[in-house]
Amino acid sequence: MNQSILSSERFKEILETGENVTVEFKTCQNELSNSVFETVCSFSNRFGGYIFLGVEEENGKGGVIGVNPKNIQNLKKNFINVLGNPNKINPSLFLNLEELEIDGKIVLWCYVPVSSEVEFCDNKIFDRNGDADQNITKSVDLVANLFSRKSHAFYERQIFPYVTTEHLRLELIQKAKRLALVKNENHPWKEMDDMEFFKSAGLYEKNLITGEKGFNLAAILLFGKDTTIQNVLPAYRTDAIFRDENQDRYDDRLIVDTNLIESYDLLLEFVQKHTNDKFFLVDNQSTSVRDKIAREVISNILVHREYSSSFPAKLIIDKEKIYTENWNKALTFGKLNPNDFTPYPKNPILAKFFMNINRADSLGSGVRNLYKFTKIYSDSEPDLEEGDVFKITIPLIKKVSIVENTLESNESAILDYLKVHKKCTATELLSVLGFKSKTSVQKLLSKMIEKNVIQKIGNGKNTFYCLK
């Protein structure tokens, strides 16, 4: 079951089962109670779980009372703001409340994934015990067990006590902040100094069992100098290959072995260089579907790979497909179905960081996005195979032609493209919009000129088109 999607049928099953170690009901019709965030903390520290607002417990089951419709937006906004406040929740979490309508009443819900770090709420540690949130802050044994459970589960949290800021590229902090502020102009990172930033992002921590503190592997992967990364992970690299004429070897190759922030940029440029860009209307906006697909593929091989292995990640592009491989901490085996899979955070610190800088979305959304955008781009489904090696195959060849599109949709696509790029040639539209032939494009452009919505400038090879 995809935790990021909740059907009304599944919700009714949860109501019948009642509260348990992964389900919590809250009335919260008009405002958020402090106990909501204690539950977020305890779920993060245990197995993850569902929180429902506008539901009360009665006779061991859940009863829907709904939240006040007038307060929905405020509830959502306050939920995001509090979770992003490191003085309240530390490390900060970035989750959203979703809406679900049942019998005319609105329930707000959120799935809280398990975190690789120990979460604090109001400087207290909460763990899930049955259907209750238990404050374990003063229990040495319980806190020790919790830290032990976390530290053994995620390799990204390995602490390197002798790594200092001299081993890191601190100038990348400003780049990360700029990317985060584009998504949220009031992001908590905005006013933080360097060490506050590292601690808030979960990149500098203290192991309360051993007393060891310092920068962890996630910090080194994101901000380490190349020499630091190679010292810590000698086999780390991502091998990008383009095959066109030479199928036995390659026509272009890029070995990426730098920090993850710049690795993302380099790999995105490689995909853009060797694949056709295609703009489509998505949610009434002209969208580079190719870039949407590339974002998900690249984020996956950088964020969700198992770095304890020396297996190099691969990104291979040929005429028909994009194919990737990365070593994986597999919980299931076989092809992933977007309607029936359980997302699991392989590297929660890295995943959360990429969400903050708008290079990834909420847990489970990457699979859904790949299915959505690949269908638009090539009229095909991607193939995602979970195993010790995680494999993604994205078909690049579109099966449908211009004949299957309506005239109106093609005109709208051209107008949207011109709004973004100001001008274009017929050849550009041939590749960008996936038309069958240049003649078809020119006929459509001529009709649009007759309608007086675009104009033709120049002649011959210097001809281009722009808005009227």
Side-chain angles (χ1 to χ4, degrees), residues 57-118:
E57 186 178 21
E58 50 184 24
N59 300 322
K61 299 181 180 181
V64 176
I65 57 176
V67 298
N68 187 338
K70 296 180 180 179
N71 292 331
I72 288 177
Q73 295 308 313
N74 283 335
L75 288 167
K76 288 183 175 182
K77 182 178 179 181
N78 291 340
F79 187 74
I80 294 172
N81 289 342
V82 173
L83 291 184
N85 181 359
N87 294 320
K88 180 69 176 182
I89 298 291
N90 190 28
S92 300
L93 295 173
F94 301 92
L95 305 171
N96 298 303
L97 289 172
E98 307 289 343
E99 295 181 32
L100 185 65
E101 183 173 352
I102 300 293
D103 299 328
K105 299 175 181 177
I106 301 297
V107 170
L108 296 180
W109 67 277
C110 176
Y111 180 77
V112 182
V114 62
S115 170
S116 66
E117 307 161 90
V118 174

Side-chain angles (χ1 to χ4, degrees), residues 9 18 30-31 37 159 230 241 287 328 337 374 387 425 452 456 460:
E9 291 77 15
N30 296 297
E31 61 183 5
F37 302 103
I159 293 175
Q230 291 305 310
I241 295 172
T287 302
N328 181 44
N337 185 328
T374 303
T425 65
N452 205 33
K456 177 181 177 182

Side-chain angles (χ1 to χ4, degrees), residues 251-462:
D251 296 271
D252 191 12
R253 184 181 186 184
L254 176 68
I255 296 177
V256 180
D257 55 5
T258 191
N259 63 83
L260 298 188
I261 295 174
E262 293 181 328
S263 290
Y264 177 94
D265 295 329
L266 291 170
L267 291 169
L268 180 60
E269 290 173 6
F270 190 85
V271 173
Q272 291 172 335
K273 178 181 178 182
H274 295 298
T275 58
N276 290 328
D277 202 357
K278 296 182 181 180
F279 279 76
F280 294 85
L281 283 178
V282 180
D283 298 327
N284 294 319
Q285 291 186 340
S286 182
T287 302
S288 171
V289 176
R290 187 275 313 276
D291 284 357
K292 292 286 189 180
I293 293 171
R295 174 181 185 259
E296 301 299 344
V297 169
I298 295 168
S299 292
N300 181 80
I301 60 175
L302 295 180
V303 170
H304 296 299
R305 68 206 270 184
E306 178 52 49
Y307 284 99
S308 62
S309 169
S310 60
F311 185 89
K314 301 179 183 69
L315 186 153
I316 301 171
I317 303 172
D318 61 29
K319 293 180 178 180
E320 298 184 348
K321 64 183 180 298
I322 299 174
Y323 174 77
T324 68
E325 289 185 351
N326 61 269
W327 196 257
N328 181 44
K329 185 188 294 182
L331 294 182
T332 60
F333 289 85
K335 184 175 180 179
L336 292 185
N337 185 328
N339 299 316
D340 184 23
F341 84 104
T342 299
Y344 180 78
K346 310 295 172 54
N347 293 301
I349 296 176
L350 294 178
K352 184 171 67 174
F353 192 91
F354 264 55
M355 286 171 59
N356 273 299
I357 62 175
N358 202 30
R359 290 180 171 178
D361 294 319
S362 59
L363 190 65
S365 63
V367 172
R368 298 198 311 277
N369 287 340
L370 281 178
Y371 271 82
K372 173 182 178 181
F373 292 117
T374 303
K375 184 70 174 178
I376 296 172
Y377 189 90
S378 61
D379 195 41
S380 304
E381 288 189 347
D383 186 86
L384 287 76
E385 184 179 345
E386 177 114 41
D388 289 336
V389 176
F390 191 88
K391 303 175 183 179
I392 298 177
T393 302
I394 305 294
L396 295 178
I397 297 177
K398 191 171 182 63
K399 296 179 181 178
V400 295
S401 67
I402 188 174
V403 178
E404 296 172 287
N405 294 323
T406 65
L407 178 63
E408 292 76 11
S409 67
N410 288 329
E411 289 182 355
S412 297
I414 291 174
L415 291 174
D416 281 328
Y417 184 79
L418 288 175
K419 288 177 184 177
V420 175
H421 296 274
K422 307 306 180 186
K423 64 180 182 179
C424 68
T425 65
T427 302
E428 287 175 345
L429 290 176
L430 180 65
S431 60
V432 168
L433 300 176
F435 286 172
K436 186 176 182 181
S437 68
K438 190 172 181 179
T439 302
S440 300
V441 176
Q442 290 171 333
K443 287 182 179 180
L444 181 57
L445 290 170
S446 297
K447 291 181 180 179
M448 294 178 71
I449 291 173
E450 292 176 4
K451 293 182 179 180
N452 205 33
V453 293
I454 64 171
Q455 58 183 326
K456 177 181 177 182
I457 306 294
N459 293 294
K461 294 183 178 179
N462 296 321

Side-chain angles (χ1 to χ4, degrees), residues 80-238:
I80 294 172
N81 289 342
V82 173
L83 291 184
N85 181 359
N87 294 320
K88 180 69 176 182
I89 298 291
N90 190 28
S92 300
L93 295 173
F94 301 92
L95 305 171
N96 298 303
L97 289 172
E98 307 289 343
E99 295 181 32
L100 185 65
E101 183 173 352
I102 300 293
D103 299 328
K105 299 175 181 177
I106 301 297
V107 170
L108 296 180
W109 67 277
C110 176
Y111 180 77
V112 182
V114 62
S115 170
S116 66
E117 307 161 90
V118 174
E119 292 289 341
F120 290 77
C121 177
D122 292 326
N123 294 315
K124 300 174 184 176
I125 302 175
F126 291 87
D127 199 0
R128 193 70 173 172
N129 185 0
D131 61 356
D133 304 317
Q134 181 180 6
N135 182 354
I136 65 170
T137 311
K138 295 183 179 181
S139 173
V140 176
D141 289 340
L142 292 177
V143 170
N145 288 338
L146 175 57
F147 272 86
S148 178
R149 189 167 72 238
K150 296 286 187 180
S151 62
H152 286 90
F154 300 96
Y155 191 62
E156 65 172 353
R157 293 195 61 221
Q158 181 178 348
I159 293 175
F160 293 81
Y162 297 109
V163 170
T164 69
T165 53
E166 294 181 358
H167 298 92
L168 307 177
R169 291 182 54 191
L170 299 182
E171 74 274 12
L172 290 175
I173 295 177
Q174 293 306 314
K175 179 174 182 177
K177 287 184 176 181
R178 287 195 300 271
L179 291 170
L181 290 172
V182 169
K183 182 178 180 181
N184 176 8
E185 62 181 12
N186 296 315
H187 197 286
W189 289 351
K190 184 177 182 180
E191 304 299 332
M192 292 182 183
D193 62 31
D194 291 353
M195 284 309 298
E196 288 174 335
F197 167 84
F198 283 124
K199 291 177 181 179
S200 172
L203 304 176
Y204 187 96
E205 58 181 319
K206 179 178 181 179
N207 187 318
L208 295 186
I209 299 175
T210 64
E212 192 176 50
K213 63 180 179 180
F215 292 101
N216 55 28
L217 180 62
I220 295 171
L221 284 167
L222 289 165
F223 292 95
K225 295 178 179 178
D226 290 357
T227 53
T228 305
I229 296 173
Q230 291 305 310
N231 183 282
V232 171
L233 294 174
Y236 161 74
R237 78 170 192 267
T238 303

